[in-house]
Amino acid sequence: MLLLGTPAALAADANPPSYDALTMLSREPTWLRLVHYAADRSSPTRLRSAIHSSDFFVAPNGRDDPLAELAATVHALQQPASGDPDRAVACRFPARTLWLRARGAAPQRNAAGDPCPRFHKWSLDGHATSISVIHVAGYLGNPASFYGHILLKLNSADGARSNSLEDVTINYGAIVPKQENPVVYMANGVVGRYEGSFSNIDYYFHDHNYRDVELRDMWEYELALTPGEVSLIAAHAWELLGQRYDYYFFRENCAFRMAELVNLADGVKATSDNPVWMMPKDLVRNLSASQRDGKPLVRAVRYNASRQTLYYAKYFGLDDADRELVGRLARHHETLESPALAAAPPERQRRVLDALLDYYAFAKNNDALNKAAVAADQQRVLLRRFALAEVGDAPPAPLT
């Protein structure tokens, strides 16, 4: 468990940093990244956080003053907490707490317990073993997704979740009114008239929505990060949930914000140098080209094909006769009891039925088809396929 401490263990080992020490800490790149400061000539300090949600700052002027925000955070961490533990500064800002503790600027809390129940539950109780960047292919049905999309996933250790589909996934996107006109959306997104925000949901939702409904391929890039870096990035993702930014379609978008999270790892620069353009492919290219200590930053790449891609691969892997039979069965020109299928050798029947199952899984999300009829056809084919199963045979596609 990522233990942030309990209220009872606060001031005993606390040695408040000097003003000079706080000043030096406030200029460190990691602190500036944790509060998302960027150059801004209209700010009194020439720096301003990209986040404009007031509850992201401890100091009243924290958005414009890195030193004031750091001092207020350190001071709050020195105080005995009371009331709801989840509202304590250490629980609202676990990444800041981890970093300040590592720099000797925050109390070392050693008492046992679960001081931040909501954060610990969300962060897999410290059982996240790695972090993956998910690249979702482009989608012509939505202008916002034309260039693809980026997600971040906390990968759980064995036993922490029943399977990876339950892993926590972080998303970033524009907050757009319902039924927004696509042309208006594009124009507003380009000039920054929308707000953007982080959200989270279990991975299975994105997997189903992107691969099954929108028929988009997905690539998962697992990063070779240290346990401390995984903890820091996960903790910072928690801090960002619900916070508001200005959203820009071509630059300060999902790829840019996810790259900022990854940049918390030592020696990693995932953002692009292009001042006006950063797309999902740019983030993937930067990560794939990155190395640390002579080793690739990307530890593993996993390809998760869409339902459409799976069906096409299965269908075009058949010979001409089997493809023709699949087409006739799908269009009800043949039945499962027809001689064309029933008289075929079992191996050929299995190939044809497997392709049909992938077709039905793909077709169930086609609004132009009768979904109840497609589901009934899928059920019949699945029962027939089970009857043909052999020992060691791969299981048929599930009814999803």
Side-chain angles (χ1 to χ4, degrees):
M1 177 180 295
L2 182 60
L3 189 62
L4 296 180
T6 59
L10 276 171
D13 61 345
N15 293 309
S18 67
Y19 178 83
D20 288 344
L22 288 175
T23 300
M24 293 179 62
L25 284 173
S26 72
R27 296 171 179 169
E28 291 206 15
T30 300
W31 176 251
L32 299 179
R33 292 183 187 124
L34 284 172
V35 196
H36 294 257
Y37 290 111
D40 190 320
R41 286 184 290 182
S42 67
S43 167
T45 62
R46 301 287 175 159
L47 291 171
R48 176 167 289 156
S49 175
I51 296 174
H52 45 76
S53 303
S54 59
D55 63 356
F56 187 69
F57 307 99
V58 183
N61 60 336
R63 188 184 180 199
D64 290 303
D65 193 330
L67 176 57
E69 183 64 14
L70 178 66
T73 303
V74 169
H75 177 74
L77 292 173
Q78 302 279 344
Q79 307 309 308
S82 60
D84 182 0
D86 283 314
R87 294 305 304 161
V89 166
C91 298
R92 290 169 52 205
F93 302 110
R96 297 189 195 184
T97 303
L98 286 171
W99 184 74
L100 288 168
R101 182 190 300 159
R103 302 309 305 269
Q108 301 294 325
R109 302 179 179 185
N110 299 316
D114 188 16
C116 302
R118 289 182 59 231
F119 168 63
H120 286 307
K121 181 179 179 181
W122 178 86
S123 62
L124 311 180
D125 290 327
H127 293 300
T129 56
S130 65
I131 288 175
S132 292
V133 170
I134 309 292
H135 179 209
V136 186
Y139 178 55
L140 297 179
N142 183 348
S145 299
F146 183 79
Y147 294 101
H149 190 54
I150 294 291
L151 304 165
L152 209 68
K153 183 161 75 76
L154 307 183
N155 301 317
S156 58
D158 293 342
R161 289 287 189 268
S162 60
N163 60 65
S164 63
L165 292 177
E166 294 183 326
D167 285 343
V168 173
T169 307
I170 298 100
N171 181 51
Y172 180 83
I175 303 171
V176 181
K178 292 182 178 180
Q179 310 302 322
E180 184 77 289
N181 181 286
V183 176
V184 173
Y185 165 78
M186 287 293 293
N188 287 342
V190 169
V191 298
R193 290 180 180 167
Y194 294 123
E195 289 185 313
S197 181
F198 281 91
S199 60
N200 76 106
I201 198 168
D202 287 349
Y203 181 60
Y204 69 80
F205 172 84
H206 295 295
D207 183 78
H208 171 71
N209 183 59
Y210 291 131
R211 294 176 60 236
D212 295 348
V213 178
E214 296 183 356
L215 306 177
R216 301 164 69 179
D217 294 338
M218 300 171 68
W219 292 264
E220 177 177 346
Y221 298 84
E222 184 181 354
L223 305 181
L225 304 176
T226 67
E229 290 168 341
V230 171
S231 294
L232 183 65
I233 292 172
H236 189 47
W238 168 259
E239 297 174 346
L240 297 178
L241 294 178
Q243 307 297 346
R244 301 298 182 95
Y245 299 75
D246 290 328
Y247 177 89
Y248 291 89
F249 183 80
F250 288 116
R251 174 66 179 176
E252 295 175 21
N253 50 27
C254 63
F256 183 83
R257 295 302 174 199
M258 295 304 177
E260 286 187 322
L261 273 168
V262 176
N263 281 350
L264 288 174
D266 289 338
V268 174
K269 184 179 181 299
T271 45
S272 170
D273 290 328
N274 190 319
V276 296
W277 179 280
M278 183 168 179
M279 290 292 126
K281 66 176 183 179
D282 299 315
L283 173 56
V284 170
R285 181 169 55 244
N286 293 344
L287 294 175
S288 300
S290 297
Q291 290 198 345
R292 295 196 306 176
D293 300 324
K295 297 180 180 179
L297 178 62
V298 176
R299 174 185 294 152
V301 180
R302 302 178 186 92
Y303 171 54
N304 297 313
S306 69
R307 286 292 186 187
Q308 182 178 34
T309 299
L310 291 171
Y311 166 60
Y312 285 169
K314 192 71 65 67
Y315 178 78
F316 289 109
L318 302 173
D319 59 28
D320 291 342
D322 287 347
R323 283 201 297 270
E324 182 181 358
L325 181 54
V326 169
R328 293 204 306 270
L329 289 165
R331 293 189 296 268
H332 300 105
H333 297 164
E334 297 280 359
T335 68
L336 295 177
E337 291 73 31
S338 68
L341 180 66
E347 183 180 350
R348 185 188 180 201
Q349 291 189 49
R350 285 192 287 270
R351 288 198 306 267
V352 169
L353 295 176
D354 285 344
L356 268 176
L357 288 172
D358 278 334
Y359 165 73
Y360 292 133
F362 157 56
K364 279 168 60 175
N365 294 298
N366 187 336
D367 292 333
L369 300 177
N370 185 320
K371 295 185 179 182
V374 171
D377 287 342
Q378 184 185 40
Q379 178 73 33
R380 285 192 289 270
V381 172
L382 186 65
L383 292 173
R384 178 66 174 269
R385 180 63 179 83
F386 270 121
L388 289 167
E390 293 183 326
V391 177
D393 201 15
L399 286 172
T400 58

